[in-house]
Amino acid sequence: MDTTYIAGAGMTRFGKFPNTSLAGLANEAVDAALTDAGVRAEDVGFVAFGNATSSVITGQAMIQGQLALLDGALAGARTVNVENACASSSSALHLAMMAVASGSCDVALAVGAEKMSHPDKTRAFDALGRAIDISDPLVSESPSRNSIFMDLYAQEARRYAAETGAPVEAFARTASTVHYHGSLNPNAQHRHPHSPEEILASRMIVEPLTLLMCSPIGDGAAAVIVTRDRPSTDPIAITGAALQSGRRREGGQLVTRTAKAALEQAGRKAADADVIELHDAAAPAALVILEELGAVGRGEAWKLAMEGELRHDGRLPVNTSGGLISRGHPVGATGTAQIVELVDQLRGRAGDRQVSDAQFALAQNAGGAVTLDDPYTAAVCAVTVLERV
Amino acid sequence: MDTTYIAGAGMTRFGKFPNTSLAGLANEAVDAALTDAGVRAEDVGFVAFGNATSSVITGQAMIQGQLALLDGALAGARTVNVENACASSSSALHLAMMAVASGSCDVALAVGAEKMSHPDKTRAFDALGRAIDISDPLVSESPSRNSIFMDLYAQEARRYAAETGAPVEAFARTASTVHYHGSLNPNAQHRHPHSPEEILASRMIVEPLTLLMCSPIGDGAAAVIVTRDRPSTDPIAITGAALQSGRRREGGQLVTRTAKAALEQAGRKAADADVIELHDAAAPAALVILEELGAVGRGEAWKLAMEGELRHDGRLPVNTSGGLISRGHPVGATGTAQIVELVDQLRGRAGDRQVSDAQFALAQNAGGAVTLDDPYTAAVCAVTVLERV
């Protein structure tokens, strides 16, 4: 696939917005992206609409995108609803790239929109529980007071600690770093810095994950405009993109092979990335994924975290947006929100959390789980390479 | 977008299969399509998986495709779940075309799979009720003993009768023709011919639609292999394809503008089509759609139906598969099933229902509804032009 470009990106703030509909969120993000790109709505030839939980949260299924856009700038646009669990909108981005690279249109839009907050708080956990094989006998053994994914992330964290010697303080330091980033991001759901001590003292969710290490339930939308032609101002190229599905019990190998495919396209190495947005649905996952991506060697990520090197001004800036735990994780919107952050970083407009002279950025987004036994395997992994050109 | 090709297609029989899982259905169709195309599973670089009702029928959402394919030939393949209501798998086909035309891969697969039958028969109607705006105040006025879509199709049929003078016998003749076709199709859900009299005498669902004019609830899967390069044997080209979303209250104009876009790409006219598969969720819709497509003039379709000209050996062969009412309508599988039938027709292997010397075929698939007031407007329309080359 030829190189495609990002002409603009925009998002809503993430949070809990009881009075804003999915349509309201989606159109706010779309309008922001169109404005940022300087593109007219009528020039958008394809819309990939990522949404994962609406069929459970509100009951609206099948045509979420068409309904959300019906009274907005993109009414009537060629629209496909994409569901790939928490990787729905990185999958949507992948389709938007294909749409322009195929010559089917010159400008395409990827939007992720999710409204998870609901007066009935069990609905969000119920919805997340559909992103695994619901017929898996392991499911019924799981407690239902939390998302089943926190059980999986906790299992992964314990394994990482056992294999690398990472202390729980490293997980707390990692969470503290991304909460610090989130405190600097006006669009973050949580905008409070937290010390490692506070994080360790917060309520235990599943050993060793405390509340402040876990991504919250929330609402939000993020949109990205993709073009075939190089934009005349501030162009950002998508030089590599891979989307892969998990095979039974392959565990983190899924991340490694997806990253390898994307990085080979770009001719780059993960270790050279200036800034990385990755899928830290729980804080320890950031460390695991950094190693799976090949950005650092095995057992090294937690040491970098302890040294503060994952900060925006450190050697390996990670989740400068605040990541899933601080910026928030309205699941279908997360993939495009990662891209919004990286566009801001590459364009040098990330304010107080700006990475100095960012040229090469990497996004990793994951979704669902096809197998649950340790190590669990995600259903989907997307890795995208962005470069300032 | 450059011309892409269909290298092979295959499907399960449609019907009610209580002992077959969604995965079982999907893999049977995928294997049939791979065999038909002479393509190895490892050469498939992208899978678009269309499924619309699973999140309600079984509760499995978000990663239906990855799970369905997990133990089949395509385990681990790059997969995106596509939801566009009853047009989910024609949308999947559209994405498969983009995937190969973009150069992202040489071979892509579109699969539609649906399992709607369930011991709790209300679930299928519940699921179909999610393909409209569930917040629309018109919804609560609707009776719930049937799919809400039968109310919409009945409204459309009454309007067509009032505007064109079509008698109810024309609807019965249309249904009789497609049931006759279905009786000749080994993959059809209903394989019984029915006389117009029998059809009129069957149970009234919503005036003027009787049971034998309506598509049934069912299960099934259909898959299509799309290639960038022209296959060496029996190539079929996709010379036009359009996918569009409905705007408020545009009614049948959605079909007309979608068909126009696809036919202009192909440089063809609907009236010249040798065979048409269209979205007859209720029999009168076939007549309405033929006119919206521009295949015949306004008010002419019902006369052709009365004369038997919609039969496979008539002047304008329509739904030689049996269409939605006889072949069946497991909703996410319908779009690709239409393509399977047209591939069989263009390759001259449609047996007793073969259209003589079919060279140019047209498929029209619709999904959901964005507005319900008369004339209701579908959320999605897909029109695909296939030609023997």
Side-chain angles (χ1 to χ4, degrees):
Chain A
M1 185 155 56
D2 290 340
T3 294
T4 56
Y5 297 89
I6 294 178
M11 66 184 286
T12 67
R13 185 172 174 183
F14 282 4
K16 294 184 181 179
F17 307 114
N19 300 318
T20 308
S21 66
L22 187 70
L25 294 166
N27 285 296
E28 181 184 334
V30 167
D31 291 346
L34 289 170
T35 301
D36 187 45
V39 161
R40 296 176 310 171
E42 55 266 41
D43 294 331
V44 174
F46 176 74
V47 177
F49 192 93
N51 170 265
T53 68
S54 173
S55 66
V56 176
I57 303 282
T58 65
Q60 183 67 62
M62 301 202 200
I63 57 168
Q64 296 98 309
Q66 287 85 359
L67 289 174
L69 302 175
L70 188 60
D71 294 311
L74 289 168
R78 175 168 54 155
T79 301
V80 170
N81 296 292
V82 182
E83 263 203 38
N84 255 357
C86 300
S88 292
S89 62
S90 52
S91 301
L93 177 67
H94 206 83
L95 298 180
M97 293 168 56
M98 284 180 177
V100 298
S102 71
S104 174
C105 58
D106 296 324
V107 180
L109 177 94
V111 55
E114 203 75 67
K115 190 165 170 58
M116 299 180 74
S117 71
H118 189 278
D120 175 0
K121 293 182 182 180
T122 65
R123 291 206 189 180
F125 295 142
D126 181 13
L128 293 170
R130 315 297 183 93
I132 59 172
D133 180 352
I134 61 170
S135 67
D136 191 313
L138 289 175
V139 174
S140 56
E141 298 171 17
S142 164
S144 60
R145 69 190 186 290
N146 303 309
S147 162
I148 185 168
F149 283 93
M150 289 307 129
D151 296 311
L152 300 176
Y153 279 100
Q155 176 193 79
E156 179 184 73
R158 293 191 298 267
R159 171 194 276 264
Y160 180 76
E163 291 181 355
T164 68
V168 70
E169 288 73 19
F171 303 154
R173 285 297 297 264
T174 305
S176 182
T177 293
V178 294
H179 279 298
Y180 169 66
H181 290 154
S183 75
L184 303 175
N185 180 358
N187 287 325
Q189 179 162 352
H190 287 170
R191 296 197 55 197
H192 307 289
H194 293 287
S195 68
E197 294 72 24
E198 275 180 278
I199 289 163
L200 287 172
S202 65
R203 179 163 64 86
M204 184 61 70
I205 302 296
V206 190
E207 181 76 32
L209 307 180
T210 65
L211 182 66
L212 289 171
M213 294 183 197
C214 298
S215 54
I217 297 299
D219 312 327
V224 178
I225 303 280
V226 181
T227 61
R228 184 170 42 170
D229 296 331
R230 181 183 167 123
S232 53
T233 56
D234 241 351
I236 290 166
I238 305 175
T239 54
L243 176 70
Q244 301 194 351
S245 302
R247 300 191 182 103
R248 280 194 182 279
R249 296 182 190 81
E250 70 170 319
Q253 178 57 26
L254 172 62
V255 177
T256 301
R257 68 179 166 93
T258 308
K260 184 166 182 283
L263 289 160
E264 278 180 2
Q265 285 170 33
R268 304 295 306 237
K269 292 180 179 175
D272 297 330
D274 295 316
V275 54
I276 297 176
E277 283 280 310
L278 51 73
H279 198 81
D280 63 336
L287 307 177
V288 174
I289 294 164
L290 280 174
E291 298 180 10
E292 289 168 348
L293 288 171
V296 297
R298 185 72 177 138
E300 289 178 18
W302 71 265
K303 295 170 190 162
L304 284 171
M306 291 296 281
E307 294 159 6
E309 297 290 2
L310 306 184
R311 278 170 49 125
H312 68 89
D313 53 1
R315 279 164 47 206
L316 184 63
V318 169
N319 285 2
T320 52
S321 66
L324 279 64
I325 70 174
S326 181
R327 180 204 57 224
H329 183 36
V331 298
T334 290
T336 38
Q338 292 179 325
I339 302 299
V340 170
E341 174 67 14
L342 296 179
V343 167
D344 285 347
Q345 289 288 351
L346 293 171
R347 286 184 169 174
R349 62 186 189 190
D352 292 340
R353 65 189 192 284
Q354 180 67 48
V355 171
S356 172
D357 193 30
Q359 300 285 335
F360 159 33
L362 198 60
Q364 178 269 343
N365 185 204
V370 285
T371 51
L372 304 180
D373 36 334
D374 192 21
Y376 87 94
T377 300
V380 188
C381 182
V383 173
T384 311
V385 180
L386 303 184
E387 298 189 65
R388 193 168 178 166
V389 288
Chain B
M1 186 155 57
D2 290 340
T3 294
T4 56
Y5 297 89
I6 294 178
M11 66 185 285
T12 67
R13 185 173 174 183
F14 282 4
K16 293 184 181 178
F17 307 115
N19 299 318
T20 309
S21 66
L22 187 70
L25 294 167
N27 285 296
E28 181 184 335
V30 167
D31 291 346
L34 289 170
T35 300
D36 187 45
V39 161
R40 296 176 310 172
E42 54 266 41
D43 293 331
V44 174
F46 176 73
V47 177
F49 191 93
N51 171 265
T53 68
S54 173
S55 66
V56 176
I57 303 281
T58 65
Q60 183 67 62
M62 300 202 200
I63 57 168
Q64 296 98 309
Q66 287 85 359
L67 289 174
L69 302 175
L70 188 59
D71 294 311
L74 289 168
R78 175 168 54 154
T79 301
V80 170
N81 296 292
V82 183
E83 263 203 38
N84 256 357
C86 300
S88 292
S89 61
S90 51
S91 300
L93 177 68
H94 207 83
L95 298 179
M97 293 168 56
M98 284 180 177
V100 299
S102 71
S104 174
C105 58
D106 296 324
V107 181
L109 178 95
V111 55
E114 203 75 66
K115 190 166 170 58
M116 299 180 75
S117 71
H118 190 278
D120 175 359
K121 293 182 182 179
T122 66
R123 291 205 189 180
F125 295 142
D126 181 13
L128 293 170
R130 315 297 183 93
I132 59 172
D133 180 352
I134 60 170
S135 67
D136 190 313
L138 289 175
V139 174
S140 55
E141 298 171 17
S142 165
S144 59
R145 69 191 186 291
N146 302 309
S147 162
I148 185 167
F149 283 93
M150 289 308 129
D151 296 311
L152 300 176
Y153 279 100
Q155 177 193 80
E156 180 184 73
R158 292 191 297 267
R159 171 194 277 264
Y160 180 76
E163 291 181 355
T164 68
V168 70
E169 288 73 19
F171 303 154
R173 284 297 297 265
T174 305
S176 182
T177 292
V178 295
H179 280 298
Y180 169 66
H181 290 154
S183 76
L184 303 175
N185 180 358
N187 287 324
Q189 179 161 352
H190 287 169
R191 296 197 55 197
H192 307 289
H194 293 287
S195 68
E197 294 71 25
E198 275 180 278
I199 289 163
L200 288 171
S202 65
R203 180 163 64 86
M204 183 62 69
I205 302 297
V206 190
E207 181 76 32
L209 306 179
T210 64
L211 182 66
L212 289 171
M213 293 183 197
C214 298
S215 55
I217 297 299
D219 312 327
V224 178
I225 303 279
V226 181
T227 60
R228 185 170 41 171
D229 296 331
R230 181 184 168 122
S232 54
T233 56
D234 241 350
I236 290 166
I238 306 175
T239 54
L243 176 70
Q244 301 195 350
S245 302
R247 300 191 182 102
R248 280 194 181 279
R249 297 182 190 80
E250 70 171 318
Q253 178 57 26
L254 172 62
V255 176
T256 301
R257 67 179 166 92
T258 308
K260 184 167 182 283
L263 289 160
E264 278 180 2
Q265 286 170 32
R268 304 295 306 237
K269 292 181 178 174
D272 296 330
D274 295 316
V275 54
I276 297 176
E277 284 280 311
L278 51 73
H279 198 82
D280 63 337
L287 307 177
V288 174
I289 294 164
L290 279 174
E291 298 180 10
E292 289 167 349
L293 288 171
V296 296
R298 185 73 177 135
E300 290 178 17
W302 72 265
K303 295 170 190 162
L304 284 171
M306 292 295 281
E307 294 158 6
E309 297 291 1
L310 306 184
R311 278 171 49 127
H312 68 89
D313 52 1
R315 278 163 48 206
L316 184 63
V318 169
N319 285 2
T320 52
S321 66
L324 279 63
I325 70 174
S326 181
R327 180 204 57 224
H329 183 36
V331 298
T334 289
T336 39
Q338 292 179 325
I339 302 299
V340 170
E341 174 66 14
L342 296 179
V343 167
D344 285 346
Q345 289 288 351
L346 292 171
R347 286 184 168 174
R349 61 186 189 189
D352 292 340
R353 65 190 193 284
Q354 179 67 47
V355 171
S356 172
D357 193 31
Q359 300 286 335
F360 159 34
L362 198 60
Q364 178 269 342
N365 185 204
V370 285
T371 51
L372 303 180
D373 36 334
D374 192 21
Y376 87 94
T377 300
V380 188
C381 183
V383 173
T384 311
V385 180
L386 304 184
E387 298 189 65
R388 193 169 178 165
V389 289

